[in-house]
């Protein structure tokens, strides 16, 4: 099974805890951003192919080096079941994390945003050497939530508060009703309007 945007997110049961060098910085940063995700009614969960028993030491390392306590659940996936279910590791990757190196786990670097409808809204895949950009994840989450609420699209490098695009799926008549103050038409397919509240 190959996952795509709008695929249903696979269900799983896993052991978690409450609470590599690149991952250490990322997990610490996410802990610092947790209140921002909470404001957006969004829960954070981490996935590691390490067993939950090893997460306690890792959490201490994260707090010591990054200044933030991991305050969200971390899934332990030592049998690689969830990583495979979410298409982050190939089927032939074996059935245990034991003896694996960071290079073996290189594709377990995906960020998923899953909506309340259990559909995948965003997938970002990073190489091992590049830290994930969680400010971008927040920006994309704002865009996804705004689009779902108001049926708009966001342009390149959009930030909250900036103008948005009226999608072509919205007719001129519908747009007039929704935006009685008007909009700017750059092209027939590119109608720009202030961000709805």
């Amino acid at each position: 099974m190959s996952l795509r945007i709008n695929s249903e997110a696979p269900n799983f049961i896993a052991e978690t805890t409450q609470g590599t060098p690149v991952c250490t910085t990322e997990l610490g940063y996410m802990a610092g951003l947790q209140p921002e995700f909470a404001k957006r009614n969004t829960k954070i969960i981490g996935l590691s192919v390490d067993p939950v028993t090893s997460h306690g030491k890792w959490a201490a390392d994260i707090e010591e080096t990054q200044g933030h306590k991991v305050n969200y659940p971390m899934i332990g996936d030592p049998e690689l079941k969830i990583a495979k279910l979410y298409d982050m590791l190939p089927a032939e990757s074996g059935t245990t994390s034991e003896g694996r190196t960071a290079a073996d786990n290189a594709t377990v670097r995906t960020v998923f945003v899953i909506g309340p409808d259990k559909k995948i809204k965003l997938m970002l895949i990073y190489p091992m050497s590049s830290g994930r950009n969680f400010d971008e994840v927040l920006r994309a989450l704002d865009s996804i939530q705004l689009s779902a609420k108001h049926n708009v699209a966001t342009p390149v490098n959009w930030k909250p508060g900036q103008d948005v695009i009226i999608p072509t799926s919205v007719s001129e008549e519908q747009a007039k009703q929704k935006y009685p103050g008007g909009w700017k038409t750059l092209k027939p397919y590119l109608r720009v309007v202030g961000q709805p509240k």
Side-chain angles (χ1 to χ4, degrees), residues 59-132:
D61 288 352
I62 292 166
E63 187 172 8
E64 179 188 336
T65 64
Q66 304 307 303
H68 295 287
K69 184 178 178 79
V70 174
N71 51 4
Y72 51 87
M74 288 287 298
I75 297 169
D77 188 25
E79 295 177 352
L80 314 178
K81 290 179 181 177
I82 299 165
K84 289 179 185 178
L85 185 64
Y86 273 76
D87 228 5
M88 293 185 274
L89 283 174
E92 63 273 9
S93 295
T95 58
T96 180
S97 61
E98 200 169 310
R100 293 177 67 84
T101 67
D104 296 328
N105 299 325
T107 56
V108 189
R109 304 275 303 144
T110 309
V111 175
F112 292 93
V113 173
I114 301 170
D117 60 358
K118 298 186 180 175
K119 302 280 189 200
I120 295 171
K121 305 301 182 184
L122 173 80
M123 294 172 31
L124 296 169
I125 303 170
Y126 290 80
M128 287 299 287
S129 58
S130 298
R132 288 168 268 201

Side-chain angles (χ1 to χ4, degrees), residues 141-158:
L141 178 61
D142 286 337
S143 171
I144 291 164
Q145 290 181 335
L146 182 70
S147 296
K149 185 175 181 182
H150 294 288
N151 192 17
V152 295
T154 57
V156 65
N157 297 328
W158 173 87

